[in-house]
């Protein structure tokens, strides 16, 4: 059976309607990941709706056996966890988003710079992939992907280009989503920031979750 011009037009309109509906559904789903707003250092951010977040990604205290010193940050990229080593064979475990395939990195670094509500400057490599990106997004701007805090990683005194930072996409925690940086819930990067002074050692590994088999909730 042949298609009339009217049929083609109506079919096209139907596809546009389906696409628009899909965008509305996606927007509604994204909105459900937030629960109001909070003020931090005179900037407003959207609070995470943790009722929507799988409990495995909630901040927790876990048993953790490691030869690393207390205060070390260890990232398990395969299982999407960041551990801050504490005393008595425990650690605070945070859910994180890590680099997409082709953007992962492993190794040791130190936190040599910390920033409250940092501005974001897209690196040159990202600008090549995304020429539509602005030269800079001011700290505290609603579209700043770093969120309320950033911890900058250095090796031998040189910035290696990776950060621990917040995210505007809480649904991305627990996935391979970034260009190599470690992203966290805004509430979690605020918590980690206050626990990690300049000089904090960071180790990024493929996986180490077998060292932390049990957990209890952190209030």
């Amino acid at each position: 059976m042949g298609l009339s011009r009217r049929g083609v037009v109506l079919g096209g309109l139907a596809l546009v309607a389906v696409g628009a509906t899909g965008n509305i559904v996606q927007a509604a789903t994204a909105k459900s990941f937030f629960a109001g707003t909070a003020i931090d250092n005179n900037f407003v951010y959207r609070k995470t709706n943790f009722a929507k977040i799988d409990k495995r990604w909630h901040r927790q205290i876990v048993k953790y056996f490691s030869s690393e010193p207390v205060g070390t940050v260890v990232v398990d990229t395969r299982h999407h966890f960041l551990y801050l080593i504490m005393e008595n064979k425990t650690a605070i475990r945070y859910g994180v988003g890590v680099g997409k395939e082709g953007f992962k990195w492993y190794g040791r670094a130190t936190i040599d710079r910390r920033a409250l509500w940092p501005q974001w400057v897209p690196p040159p490599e990202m600008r090549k992939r995304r020429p539509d990106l602005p030269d800079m997004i001011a700290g505290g701007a609603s579209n700043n992907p770093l969120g309320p805090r950033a911890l900058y990683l250095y090796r031998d005194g040189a910035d290696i280009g990776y950060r621990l930072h917040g995210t505007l996409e809480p649904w991305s925690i627990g996935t391979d989503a970034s260009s190599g940086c470690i992203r966290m819930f805004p509430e979690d990067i605020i918590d980690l920031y206050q626990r990690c002074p300049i000089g904090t050692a960071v180790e990024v590994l493929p996986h180490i979750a077998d060292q932390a088999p049990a957990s209890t909730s952190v209030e």
Side-chain angles (χ1 to χ4, degrees), residues 3-20:
L3 286 175
S4 67
R5 181 177 183 278
R6 180 173 182 273
V8 171
V9 171
L10 290 176
L13 290 174
L15 288 174
V16 170
V18 169

Side-chain angles (χ1 to χ4, degrees), residues 86-99:
M86 307 291 282
E87 297 177 344
N88 301 319
K89 296 181 174 61
T90 63
I92 301 176
R93 190 183 77 188
Y94 307 81
V96 297
V98 301

Side-chain angles (χ1 to χ4, degrees), residues 29-79:
T29 300
K31 186 177 180 181
S32 71
F33 280 89
F34 300 100
T37 60
I39 297 176
D40 172 83
N41 287 272
N42 298 318
F43 290 106
V44 176
Y45 70 93
R46 291 188 291 179
K47 296 190 298 183
T48 305
N49 178 11
F50 283 100
K52 180 76 173 178
I53 304 297
D54 189 313
K55 289 187 182 298
R56 83 179 76 177
W57 310 126
H58 290 202
R59 187 163 75 245
Q60 303 175 44
I61 292 177
V62 299
K63 282 291 186 183
Y64 188 92
F65 303 94
S66 173
S67 59
E68 299 291 339
V70 170
T72 302
V73 169
V74 181
V75 181
D76 175 344
T77 58
R78 182 180 300 175
H79 296 93

Side-chain angles (χ1 to χ4, degrees), residues 6 16 22 32 54 66 77 115 120-121 133 146 153 157 162 174 188 198 205-206 211:
R6 180 173 182 273
V16 170
S32 71
D54 189 313
S66 173
T77 58
W120 181 59
V121 178
L133 290 173
L146 299 184
L153 302 185
Y162 297 109
D188 284 354
I198 295 294
L205 301 172
Q211 298 182 38

Side-chain angles (χ1 to χ4, degrees), residues 136-184:
M136 184 274 289
I137 298 180
S142 61
N143 62 336
N144 186 317
L146 299 184
R149 304 286 189 277
L151 301 171
Y152 296 76
L153 302 185
Y154 284 64
R155 186 182 296 132
D156 298 325
D159 185 350
I160 63 174
Y162 297 109
R163 290 86 173 90
L164 314 178
H165 63 74
T167 182
L168 300 176
E169 302 173 341
W171 53 87
S172 69
I173 299 301
T175 70
D176 298 352
S178 77
S179 295
C181 290
I182 307 301
R183 57 174 64 175
M184 307 175 71

Side-chain angles (χ1 to χ4, degrees), residues 104-120:
K104 291 183 174 69
W105 66 280
Y106 310 107
R108 291 183 178 272
T110 59
I111 296 171
D112 283 2
R113 180 185 167 201
R114 308 182 332 141
L116 290 166
W117 292 101
Q119 68 176 18
W120 181 59

